[in-house]
């Protein structure tokens, strides 16, 4: 029985990366085929946002948050001891930044290192620090997992990585395509309120359309540093009844089930779990066509619209078309399940198992 360790910055967080990771590790642990451990660099909460399977051993290397940089050096010996004491066969880094710890810590050991890309190559290359780690990691990791075919191609073109690299998408936790629901006049967006998710674009589009369509609301599910910006925008434009900031919610499905249109204004994505779930709940989706993610989920003009990145006027126009045309929404909804079979958990887990057996 192989011992597999999934290594996270902080597995207690409630973000999409943690949600996907927990879904994968729980699926692997349920089969008793592997000994699964989950290790955090540190944990800022005593409670897990997404619960782990009872078979999973879970611990943290330290109790204080470390920003990437020189402070990481003292962690490497601790991680090396952990790998040796727990007899780890494979460590899966749930962020390429962690490769800078796992690769030196595993040197000379039997432990194989899997670099799991949760963003995309273009994003990693846009930051000096992350670009340095990526160039270090891509030459040394035993396997690379990307979320999309486009990203795998980028790894080959930009970094020359063409061997031991595979595409494994994010798994849907459940498929509810056949479920009927009583819908309300809601637009909905799910995600942390941080710059990368484009809350400024969301706000600009909201002001354009909500004042015209006073019978519609835009539900924004998530929390983060940009909340104050959206609260000020709501006050300035008297949108208190229409632009609704719910904070972080545990049952996202109960909102998706009631909404009519999903909206994504992100500056960049890997493979957005929330957009996949929107499709599973039969929601037409409108998203900026950023480098990776939306273009592999939305069929433009078939079950949603792909908008030239950051063109808020075009996004508002497409949203108004959908808001005003019930027949079009129904047509898009009926086509929403196209392509979802690629993201069913069984197939995703089989791909993971194939790679873990290969290592």
């Amino acid at each position: 029985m192989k011992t597999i360790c999934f290594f996270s910055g902080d597995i207690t967080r409630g973000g999409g990366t943690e949600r996907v990771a927990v879904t994968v590790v729980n699926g692997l642990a349920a089969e008793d085929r592997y000994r699964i451990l989950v290790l955090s660099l540190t944990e800022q909460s005593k409670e897990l946002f997404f619960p782990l399977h009872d078979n999973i051993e879970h611990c943290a290397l330290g109790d204080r948050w470390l920003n990437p940089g020189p402070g990481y050096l003292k962690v490497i010996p601790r991680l090396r001891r952990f790998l040796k004491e727990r007899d780890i066969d494979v460590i899966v880094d749930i962020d390429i930044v962690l490769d800078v710890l796992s690769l030196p810590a595993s040197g000379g050991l039997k432990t194989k290192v899997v670099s799991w890309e949760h963003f995309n190559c273009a994003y990693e290359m846009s930051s000096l620090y992350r670009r340095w780690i990526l160039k270090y990691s891509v030459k040394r990791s035993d396997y690379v997992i990307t979320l999309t075919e486009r990203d795998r191609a980028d790894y080959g073109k930009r970094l020359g990585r063409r061997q031991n690299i595979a595409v494994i998408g994010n798994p849907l936790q459940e498929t509810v395509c056949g479920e009927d629901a009583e819908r309300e006049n809601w637009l909905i967006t799910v995600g942390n309120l941080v710059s990368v998710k484009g809350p400024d674009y969301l706000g600009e589009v909201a002001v354009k359309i909500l004042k015209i369509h006073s019978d519609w609301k835009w539900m924004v599910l998530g929390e983060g540093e940009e909340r104050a910006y959206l609260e000020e925008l709501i006050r300035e434009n008297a949108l208190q009844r229409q632009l609704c900031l719910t904070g972080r919610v545990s049952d996202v499905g109960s909102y998706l089930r009631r909404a009519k249109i999903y909206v994504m204004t992100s500056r960049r994505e890997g493979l957005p779990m929330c957009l996949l779930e929107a499709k599973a709940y039969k929601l037409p989706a409108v998203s900026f066509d950023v480098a990776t993610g939306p273009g592999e989920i939305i069929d433009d003009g078939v079950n949603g619209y792909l908008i030239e990145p950051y063109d808020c006027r075009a996004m508002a126009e497409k949203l108004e078309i959908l808001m005003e045309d019930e027949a079009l929404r129904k047509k898009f909804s009926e086509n929403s399940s196209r392509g979802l079979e690629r993201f069913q958990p069984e197939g995703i887990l089989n791909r993971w198992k194939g790679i873990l057996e290969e290592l």
Side-chain angles (χ1 to χ4, degrees):
M1 180 183 285
K2 281 188 175 180
T3 299
I4 315 297
C5 175
F6 284 80
F7 186 25
S8 168
D10 181 355
I11 200 63
T12 67
R13 292 179 295 201
T17 296
E18 290 74 32
R19 185 175 186 178
V20 169
V22 168
T23 301
V24 170
V25 298
N26 283 346
L28 292 172
E31 297 189 13
D32 291 327
R33 186 172 178 174
Y34 308 100
R35 177 181 171 227
I36 303 292
L37 296 84
V38 172
L39 175 68
S40 293
L41 181 59
T42 186
E43 293 182 350
Q44 295 179 295
S45 173
K46 294 181 179 179
E47 300 293 329
L48 289 159
F49 193 86
F50 303 111
L52 290 166
H53 193 283
D54 291 341
N55 291 345
I56 295 174
E57 182 181 347
H58 159 232
C59 52
L61 278 178
D63 56 6
R64 292 190 346 180
W65 180 255
L66 291 173
N67 289 320
Y72 268 15
L73 292 174
K74 63 183 179 182
V75 178
I76 294 172
R78 260 185 273 164
L79 178 57
R80 185 174 178 84
R81 284 195 299 272
F82 178 89
L83 297 177
K84 293 171 71 174
E85 290 170 0
R86 305 305 173 93
D87 197 29
I88 303 298
D89 293 295
V90 180
I91 185 168
V92 180
D93 292 336
I94 312 175
D95 186 336
I96 71 151
V97 167
L98 298 174
D99 294 347
V100 81
L101 301 175
S102 295
L103 286 165
S106 62
L109 304 181
K110 69 172 183 176
T111 307
K112 304 294 186 182
V113 178
V114 176
S115 181
W116 189 3
E117 175 65 84
H118 280 274
F119 296 100
N120 57 61
C121 185
Y123 166 67
E124 307 294 3
M125 295 290 281
S126 68
S127 158
L128 180 62
Y129 181 71
R130 295 186 75 95
R131 180 166 68 247
W132 178 84
I133 292 176
L134 180 63
K135 289 184 175 182
Y136 167 75
S137 165
V138 79
K139 295 177 181 178
R140 295 167 177 82
S141 57
D142 295 285
Y143 224 100
V144 174
I145 306 295
T146 69
L147 293 174
T148 66
E149 291 289 350
R150 179 170 177 176
D151 201 34
R152 178 168 66 174
D154 267 0
Y155 266 79
K157 292 175 184 176
R158 295 184 179 214
L159 299 163
R161 180 75 184 233
R162 295 182 176 85
Q163 301 296 321
N164 292 338
I165 182 168
V167 179
I168 305 182
N170 290 337
L172 279 169
Q173 289 187 308
E174 59 177 337
T175 301
V176 293
C177 297
E179 196 171 286
D180 292 325
E182 188 68 31
R183 303 284 184 177
E184 300 191 39
N185 285 348
W186 287 1
L187 307 171
I188 186 168
T189 298
V190 183
N192 293 327
L193 303 183
V194 294
S195 178
V196 70
K197 297 298 183 181
D200 48 340
Y201 298 133
L202 186 154
E204 184 176 342
V205 175
V207 170
K208 290 179 186 295
I209 60 174
L210 292 181
K211 289 188 175 183
I212 299 171
H213 298 275
S214 60
D215 57 331
W216 280 75
K217 292 183 178 181
W218 193 331
M219 311 300 291
V220 181
L221 280 58
E223 196 58 82
E225 61 201 34
E226 297 295 323
R227 183 186 181 97
Y229 160 77
L230 288 174
E231 288 176 336
E232 181 62 24
L233 180 137
I234 288 168
R235 284 192 293 271
E236 289 178 354
N237 294 277
L239 293 174
Q240 288 87 347
R241 293 177 60 254
Q242 290 182 274
L243 186 53
C244 306
L245 309 181
T246 68
R248 189 175 288 116
V249 301
S250 57
D251 185 10
V252 173
S254 65
Y255 287 83
L256 293 173
R257 190 176 290 113
R258 295 169 64 188
K260 289 184 177 178
I261 303 169
Y262 192 87
V263 189
M264 177 171 284
T265 60
S266 296
R267 286 178 161 79
R268 55 182 175 265
E269 286 287 344
L271 186 68
M273 192 72 187
C274 52
L275 198 53
L276 286 172
E277 291 181 336
K279 280 170 65 72
Y281 279 90
K282 290 188 169 183
L283 285 177
V286 179
S287 172
F288 289 140
D289 190 17
V290 291
T292 63
E296 298 200 17
I297 299 173
I298 297 172
D299 291 329
D300 188 42
V302 176
N303 52 28
Y305 290 120
L306 293 169
I307 309 298
E308 184 71 23
Y310 325 131
D311 188 340
C312 292
R313 177 180 295 180
M315 176 170 277
E317 289 172 355
K318 291 298 187 183
L319 283 173
E320 285 199 76
I321 290 170
L322 274 175
M323 292 162 75
E324 295 171 359
D325 192 335
E326 183 177 355
L328 182 60
R329 289 200 308 272
K330 183 178 179 182
K331 175 185 173 183
F332 280 10
S333 178
E334 290 170 349
N335 293 330
S336 63
S337 61
R338 287 191 180 189
L340 278 181
E341 64 279 355
R342 294 185 293 130
F343 306 103
Q344 295 306 312
E346 183 178 1
I348 300 293
L349 289 175
N350 284 339
R351 299 208 69 185
W352 271 104
K353 286 183 281 189
I355 290 167
L356 293 174
E357 290 304 318
E358 183 181 335
L359 289 168

